[in-house]
Amino acid sequence: MGFIDTLKERAKANVKTIVLPETEDKRTLAATEKILKEGIAKVILVGNEEAVKKSAAEDGYDISGAQIVDPATSEKTQGYIDKLVELRQKKGMTPDQAKEILLNQYLYYGVMMVKMGDADGMVSGACHSTADTLRPCLQILKTKPGTKLVSAFFLMVVPNCEYGANGAFVFADSGLNQNPTSEELAAIAASSAESFELLVQEKPIVAMLSHSTKGSAKHADVDKVVEATRIAKENAKEGLLLDGEFQLDAAIVPEVGASKAPGSPVAGKANVLVFPDLDAGNIGYKLAQRLGKAEAYGPLTQGIAAPVNDLSRGCSAKDIEGVVAITAVQCMAEE
């Protein structure tokens, strides 16, 4: 059984309700058919019911098991409007503005469904930017209590790979924070370790990545990672294996790790890779995906008060299925 299949089985054991607001995209409808057929989750589609059903029928997708919610006619829309005004009144939100947003921006409507308990989680991003997906989450759901920073990661599954957890890795932050400070990198490391343990169900081994290994290069960018490692170790939960700064090969290849960082409990064994900035993280995951043929699921979010996950705009329907399964498992952890 493949890695994502294992996650699907976990999702089936405690079926959650996931809202998919991007009903204008055929990939959403194709994924919905498979999600319902496999029993991975209950699906709510946001949009005009007639238009959604017509679009699905054009390509032969069976979405008959999905709930379709039209913001223009739903009896719950007024309650969502009232709640959005309450949440955003300090920012000057009026009832008319809230109505305009919820009737026309389905991502906001989907997030309100999660906020009001009518859905457990949301997946979006097939045809919206990460900023568009995360903005309503940060405005409405806000950060999880005890979390210092919302960040994004990719769950990477590399085929026929002896590194990581049988080829499974978390790459962070690969989707949200442009140039995190040392404190922010430390927070990303802590959240990423938790995400890895939840999704992969193995012990996280966290490497703080750099172009330097244990002082082999001198630069302010290296200093940032060294300081992040210090902070992360200081705040780490007991027993967490975390170390740095490492070049990538020193982090994941046992022989290189033993040579470049002898005595480190992480070197050569890492399965959680914390990149120094968004450029490195984004380039890194796409190299692994395109050249290493890795499955890349994300950007997945961590630190939001309820599970909402992003998609790459280059995603396939199969990718959406996988992210829905991941989101459902995250929802289970929120109980």
Side-chain angles (χ1 to χ4, degrees), residues 107-254:
L107 273 65
Y108 272 88
Y109 198 91
V111 171
M112 284 304 304
M113 296 190 86
V114 176
K115 178 69 176 180
M116 301 295 277
D118 295 320
D120 298 304
M122 185 179 91
V123 173
S124 177
C127 51
H128 289 86
S129 69
T130 294
D132 286 339
T133 295
L134 295 184
R135 189 179 301 110
C137 302
L138 297 173
Q139 291 177 356
I140 295 167
L141 299 173
K142 305 189 186 301
T143 56
K144 184 186 296 185
T147 301
K148 295 180 180 179
L149 182 74
V150 173
S151 56
F153 67 96
F154 275 82
L155 180 60
M156 306 295 295
V157 184
V158 186
N160 305 313
C161 179
E162 69 269 37
Y163 306 129
N166 296 313
F169 294 88
V170 158
F171 284 21
D173 183 323
S174 301
L176 183 58
N177 291 287
Q178 181 68 50
N179 190 17
T181 64
S182 295
E183 291 78 8
E184 289 169 338
L185 276 177
I188 290 166
S191 293
S192 300
E194 291 180 2
S195 294
F196 182 89
E197 191 164 19
L198 169 66
L199 297 173
V200 184
Q201 295 187 303
E202 292 200 27
K203 188 176 181 65
I205 304 173
V206 184
M208 310 296 284
L209 297 183
S210 173
H211 69 274
S212 168
T213 297
K214 294 294 184 179
S216 65
K218 304 296 182 185
H219 191 276
D221 289 346
V222 178
D223 295 340
K224 181 179 83 167
V225 179
V226 171
E227 177 64 5
T229 304
R230 184 193 69 77
I231 296 168
K233 284 183 175 180
E234 191 174 274
N235 296 332
K237 293 181 178 178
E238 187 175 353
L240 176 64
L241 293 177
L242 181 150
D243 201 8
E245 85 285 9
F246 295 126
Q247 293 160 297
L248 177 67
D249 55 354
I252 67 171
V253 182

Side-chain angles (χ1 to χ4, degrees), residues 18-36:
I18 308 299
V19 58
L20 303 178
E22 294 176 309
T23 50
E24 70 273 32
D25 195 295
K26 297 282 190 178
R27 291 170 294 176
T28 298
L29 305 179
T32 296
E33 179 183 51
K34 293 293 293 292
I35 292 161
L36 295 172

